[in-house]
């Protein structure tokens, strides 16, 4: 294939890799997708490691660009806010926006991945190679060395350029770490996660309100539940690895039952497979990875978790990766065939924003597990919704991240300014309606510069 129409290797057939393959195939490029796991469409998917996905504006934009949005939305369940469950089983609802139409969507990771693979593979220029693990990268030539796992045979990828979307523990990124002045950091939370299940109720319907993301905030830990199309809820317990209340401290069935009865009393009657899920499903870890550069000349680019793994507490991991794909696509349209410029512009546009969402995701964990049960926090949220309803210029950080495509770095900056504005406006107030809207408008205009 000529340099004018290069072929691409995509390393990793997960969500980001399959979407990027679809973008490339639609542009007429030859695409070779290499995946270390078996074809998930033919093999049983390993359970217990997949935090439910929240699809929002950024991911929806990428799906719309590739013509998949309408199909994927048939799989999606809208969630309009958070439903907080206290220790006595009482619930408090907090909408995500003052606009009752605004929502995020719960989507099946596996089903979405399958649809992306099917659509990208439908293009005759796209070929998937499963059971192929990336072993190394020839940094001089950019060639990717792979091992065919069933046979043990070493092979060389055929494409002229590589987009590596092989996850948080990317083999391609590991090879790039050997290049001069490559910066890399990883930071694990002291908390891990375990998936549990709430099946449909006796009548076959959802056991909880399916139009909300359910949270059991408990200060140093929490459980969440997201609805699935089969009327189950996937629950995720975020819990310390070590300590008096931790995965390490819950070793027997009696300890698990006692803990859940004390901490999540309204959920336990809805979880008949609690013990089976708890002891069968693995405990996952939560890592933030930052690195730079993401590119090697005009030959290799990192994308998604391979470039910027984040914790899941803003529901933006998939959305950020899909935004990477959309940005790469736009850079190809604007700068190809100058592939060095394509990759450089992609990196410039995404690096600052990926760092920003990593920061916000970490901050949102504290908010979800602790602050959502705090009266002062809830009051400020009520004031925010009041401002959103009466001032076109005010948008909360959550809205900017989830319901717009404002760059993450800008959302982080405006969120910090919003906190200062709310602190000033809420001083001495007893209700949101007492807010001085004229003063609020002045402060917002001043912050927007």
């Amino acid at each position: 294939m000529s340099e004018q129409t290069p072929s691409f290797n995509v390393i990793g057939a997960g969500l980001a890799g399959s979407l990027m393959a679809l973008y490339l195939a639609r542009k007429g490029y030859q695409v070779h997708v290499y995946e270390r796991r078996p074809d998930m469409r033919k093999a049983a998917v390993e359970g217990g490691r997949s935090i439910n996905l929240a699809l929002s504006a950024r991911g929806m934009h990428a799906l719309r660009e590739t013509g998949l949005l309408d199909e994927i939305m048939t799989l999606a369940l809208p969630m309009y806010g958070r439903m907080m469950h206290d220790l006595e089983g009482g619930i408090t609802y907090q909408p995500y926006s003052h606009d009752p139409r605004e929502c995020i969507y719960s989507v099946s990771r596996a089903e979405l991945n399958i649809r992306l693979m099917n659509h990208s593979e439908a293009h005759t220029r796209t070929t998937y190679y499963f059971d192929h693990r990336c072993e190394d990268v020839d940094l001089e030539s950019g060639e990717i060395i792979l091992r065919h796992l069933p046979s043990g045979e070493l092979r060389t990828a055929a494409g002229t350029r590589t987009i590596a979307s092989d996850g948080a523990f990317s083999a391609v990124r590991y090879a790039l770490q050997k290049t001069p002045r490559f910066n890399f950091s990883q930071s694990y939370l002291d908390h891990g996660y375990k998936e549990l299940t709430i099946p449909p109720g006796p009548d076959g319907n959802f056991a909880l309100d399916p139009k909300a993301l359910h949270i059991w905030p408990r200060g140093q830990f929490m459980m969440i539940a997201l609805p699935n199309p089969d009327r189950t809820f996937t629950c995720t317990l975020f819990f310390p690895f070590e300590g008096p209340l931790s995965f390490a401290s819950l070793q027997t069935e009696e300890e698990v039952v006692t803990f859940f009865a004390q901490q999540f009393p309204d959920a336990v009657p809805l979880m008949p497979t609690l013990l089976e899920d708890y002891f069968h499903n693995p405990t996952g870890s939560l890592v933030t990875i930052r690195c730079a550069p993401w590119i090697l000349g005009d030959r290799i680019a990192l994308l998604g978790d391979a470039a910027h793994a984040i914790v899941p507490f803003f529901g933006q991991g998939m959305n950020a990766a899909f935004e990477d794909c959309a940005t790469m696509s736009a850079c190809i349209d604007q700068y190809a065939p100058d592939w060095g410029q394509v990759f450089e512009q992609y990196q410039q546009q995404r690096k600052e924003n990926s760092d920003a969402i990593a920061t916000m995701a970490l901050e949102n964990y504290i908010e979800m597990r602790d602050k959502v049960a705090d009266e002062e926090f809830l009051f400020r949220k009520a004031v925010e919704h009041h401002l959103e309803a009466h001032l076109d210029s005010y948008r909360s950080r959550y809205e900017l991240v989830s319901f717009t495509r404002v760059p993450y770095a800008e959302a982080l900056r405006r969120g910090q300014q919003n906190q200062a504005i709310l602190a000033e406006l809420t001083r001495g107030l007893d209700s949101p309606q007492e807010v001085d809207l004229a003063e609020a408008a002045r402060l917002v205009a001043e912050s927007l510069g």
Side-chain angles (χ1 to χ4, degrees):
M1 182 161 293
S2 69
E3 177 59 21
Q4 285 69 40
T5 55
S7 58
F8 281 86
N9 303 314
V10 175
I11 310 301
L15 296 170
S18 296
L19 178 64
M20 195 67 243
L22 179 56
Y23 266 114
L24 293 168
R26 285 166 57 89
K27 296 178 191 297
Y29 296 115
Q30 190 81 39
V31 187
H32 307 278
V33 186
Y34 297 92
E35 169 58 51
R36 64 177 176 81
R37 297 169 297 182
D39 187 343
M40 66 185 300
R41 295 167 294 183
K42 301 175 183 177
V45 178
E46 182 181 6
R49 290 189 183 274
S50 174
I51 297 174
N52 259 37
L53 299 175
L55 177 66
S56 54
R58 298 164 202 272
M60 292 167 68
H61 169 75
L63 294 173
R64 185 180 295 110
E65 283 196 327
T66 50
L68 279 185
L69 183 60
D70 289 345
E71 178 179 335
I72 298 306
M73 292 311 288
T74 65
L75 312 173
L77 295 174
M79 299 181 293
Y80 295 90
R82 298 165 169 168
M83 193 77 77
M84 280 81 71
H85 298 246
D86 65 26
L87 280 167
E88 286 71 45
I91 58 174
T92 304
Y93 178 70
Q94 180 191 107
Y96 286 133
S97 170
H98 76 285
D99 184 342
R101 297 168 297 178
E102 295 278 30
C103 62
I104 60 177
Y105 294 88
S106 177
V107 183
S108 162
R109 176 190 294 271
E111 189 61 38
L112 177 54
N113 208 154
I114 287 169
R115 301 294 177 101
L116 288 169
M117 286 194 290
N118 286 343
H119 279 272
S120 59
E121 199 174 42
H123 291 263
T124 57
R125 291 181 176 271
T126 302
T127 306
Y128 277 77
Y129 305 84
F130 296 97
D131 297 304
H132 280 71
R133 183 178 68 206
C134 178
E135 294 285 315
D136 202 359
V137 178
D138 184 324
L139 296 174
E140 291 298 321
S141 67
E143 284 189 338
I144 308 297
I145 295 92
L146 302 132
R147 186 177 300 278
H148 180 236
L149 295 176
S151 67
E153 177 187 350
L154 286 177
R155 301 175 178 179
T156 302
T160 57
R161 285 183 174 77
T162 295
I163 295 178
S165 56
D166 50 339
F169 304 103
S170 166
V172 178
R173 188 193 64 235
Y174 180 73
L176 296 185
Q177 287 173 230
K178 302 170 188 175
T179 60
R181 295 188 297 150
F182 189 96
N183 294 309
F184 170 79
S185 69
Q186 68 178 28
S187 177
Y188 282 92
L189 288 184
D190 294 332
H191 294 61
Y193 70 91
K194 187 181 291 287
E195 285 205 343
L196 309 166
T197 302
I198 293 178
D203 59 356
N205 289 320
F206 287 103
L208 297 169
D209 184 345
K211 294 185 177 180
L213 186 155
H214 294 260
I215 307 178
W216 289 259
R218 298 297 182 260
Q220 292 304 306
F221 57 90
M222 70 174 180
M223 186 170 71
I224 67 171
L226 280 77
N228 298 308
D230 63 0
R231 293 185 171 83
T232 64
F233 278 84
T234 299
C235 302
T236 309
L237 173 66
F238 297 98
F239 204 38
F241 281 109
E242 307 288 343
L245 287 179
S246 67
F247 286 118
S249 73
L250 301 184
Q251 295 296 317
T252 69
E253 292 188 356
E254 182 180 358
E255 288 169 343
V256 171
V257 169
T258 299
F259 168 76
F260 273 81
Q262 290 174 345
Q263 298 295 334
F264 313 118
D266 60 330
V268 171
L270 309 177
M271 306 172 79
T273 60
L274 170 61
L275 291 174
E276 178 184 348
D277 292 343
Y278 187 90
F279 287 104
H280 174 75
N281 291 343
T283 301
S285 59
L286 299 161
V287 66
T288 299
I289 290 176
R290 293 180 170 93
C291 69
W294 293 359
I295 60 176
L296 181 65
D298 65 352
R299 300 191 300 276
I300 297 174
L302 304 177
L303 183 145
D305 283 358
H308 52 78
I310 64 175
V311 295
F313 303 112
F314 221 125
Q316 288 296 304
M318 173 185 65
N319 293 288
F322 281 10
E323 196 167 54
D324 286 352
C325 296
T327 301
M328 179 68 81
S329 173
C331 289
I332 291 172
D333 291 343
Q334 185 169 358
Y335 299 107
D338 185 346
W339 295 100
Q341 185 74 342
V342 169
F343 286 174
E344 180 63 35
Q345 288 297 321
Y346 155 73
Q347 177 177 248
Q348 285 188 16
Q349 293 179 39
R350 295 301 297 156
K351 171 60 177 161
E352 179 187 22
N353 290 307
S354 73
D355 287 343
I357 190 55
T359 296
M360 290 188 285
L362 289 165
E363 292 176 355
N364 218 45
Y365 182 35
I366 298 171
E367 176 176 313
M368 290 177 71
R369 79 184 193 201
D370 192 359
K371 291 185 179 180
V372 291
D374 178 76
E375 288 187 8
E376 181 180 350
F377 173 83
L378 293 173
F379 180 70
R380 287 195 179 188
K381 279 294 181 185
V383 171
E384 273 207 315
H385 289 331
H386 186 70
L387 294 178
E388 290 163 358
H390 292 87
L391 296 178
D392 291 338
S393 57
Y394 187 92
R395 299 297 296 270
S396 70
R397 185 174 82 170
Y398 188 89
E399 286 203 328
L400 291 170
V401 168
S402 298
F403 304 139
T404 80
R405 293 173 52 228
V406 167
Y408 286 130
E410 174 67 7
L412 176 60
R413 183 186 69 82
R414 286 174 60 177
Q416 292 166 340
Q417 292 171 335
N418 286 352
Q419 291 306 305
I421 291 171
L422 288 170
E424 185 164 342
L425 290 175
T426 58
R427 194 175 296 120
L429 295 190
D430 294 320
S431 77
Q433 287 69 34
E434 296 176 11
V435 170
D436 184 336
L437 292 176
E439 175 66 4
R442 184 189 70 78
L443 290 171
V444 172
E446 189 178 275
S447 71
L448 293 175

